[in-house]
Amino acid sequence: MTDAQERAGITDSFIADAAAIAAEGPMDRARLDRIKARLMEIAARAELWGPQDFPAPSVEKKQHRFFIADHPTGLTLYLNVMQPGKVIAPHNHTVFACIAAVEGSEQNKVYERIDDGSVPGKAELKLREVVDLRPGHALAMLPDDIHSVAIGGTEVIRHLHFYAQPLEALTRRISYDIGAGTCKVMDIGAKTKK
């Protein structure tokens, strides 16, 4: 069996399991943690996510996002390959999401929004936790959870990202500027490679 065939088998199984969990009822932390655990299982197969099939971006470009698999319900799996120095401002996803590390480490800061959202374009965040996302670790987020990402060190990272809907369909994600106390609709960022 080739790496591509094995990768297709484990991702199809993961997507089917995640769809079954999601169909049990409204998404909550317990269900999301079960999806996160399954995502960590396929992330542990680092040999299936290497540069031979998923090359790193240039130092200038910083990020490649590869489409891996999806489900008719919209569930979508990607592999993000990012260079050190990549920074993504605090943002939400508007759907549930999980990230599992395959290779390398990224720092995620998880925030709580402490204003009431009544003033358009204004937002105040408070740091809730810092998560070092490295192999053997994952992060699960509900639709309104807010996080930022920073790739430090000297290594390219490879992390699986799983969303309840295709990232390209998430046109109402909100990006936050902590220093300015503002928020706005977030641009999609890197374009997905199929």
Side-chain angles (χ1 to χ4, degrees):
M1 182 180 296
T2 67
D3 282 353
Q5 291 168 324
E6 191 159 355
R7 185 169 50 245
I10 67 168
T11 56
D12 288 349
S13 176
F14 164 74
I15 292 277
D17 290 349
I21 293 167
E24 292 174 359
M27 188 54 65
D28 59 20
R29 294 264 178 221
R31 285 188 182 95
L32 195 53
D33 282 345
R34 289 167 51 208
I35 293 172
K36 178 179 82 170
R38 282 290 286 119
L39 187 62
M40 288 173 62
E41 289 174 16
I42 67 171
R45 299 289 311 276
E47 74 279 8
L48 299 178
W49 309 108
Q52 66 280 6
D53 293 318
F54 305 103
S58 67
V59 172
E60 298 77 27
K61 189 169 182 180
K62 298 280 187 223
Q63 179 181 5
H64 280 166
R65 180 175 42 249
F66 296 94
F67 169 84
I68 303 299
D70 63 1
H71 186 271
T73 60
L75 299 171
T76 307
L77 179 65
Y78 302 92
L79 176 70
N80 266 346
V81 182
M82 295 187 276
Q83 289 280 357
K86 176 71 177 175
V87 175
I88 303 170
H91 62 280
N92 66 9
H93 293 103
T94 68
V95 298
F96 72 80
C98 294
I99 306 168
V102 173
E103 179 180 283
S105 176
E106 70 178 40
Q107 182 185 73
N108 280 253
K109 291 182 178 178
V110 181
Y111 299 91
E112 176 182 344
R113 186 168 180 173
I114 56 175
D115 68 295
D116 64 7
S118 63
V119 180
K122 297 291 183 187
E124 188 177 350
L125 302 182
K126 178 176 86 173
L127 182 64
R128 190 174 74 207
E129 132 183 59
V130 177
V131 178
D132 180 25
L133 204 49
R134 62 187 184 283
H137 294 83
L139 179 63
M141 294 168 281
L142 289 169
D144 291 330
D145 289 345
I146 300 166
H147 78 127
S148 65
V149 178
I151 314 302
T154 59
E155 295 179 37
V156 168
I157 69 148
R158 297 170 186 282
H159 290 185
L160 291 170
H161 288 234
F162 181 66
Y163 299 94
Q165 293 293 309
L167 191 58
E168 296 78 7
L170 305 182
T171 59
R172 302 302 304 161
R173 294 188 309 159
I174 303 296
S175 175
Y176 300 86
D177 182 326
I178 294 173
T182 59
C183 60
K184 64 181 181 180
V185 173
M186 183 178 188
D187 180 68
I188 190 169
K191 303 301 180 221
T192 302
K193 295 177 171 289
K194 293 209 176 202

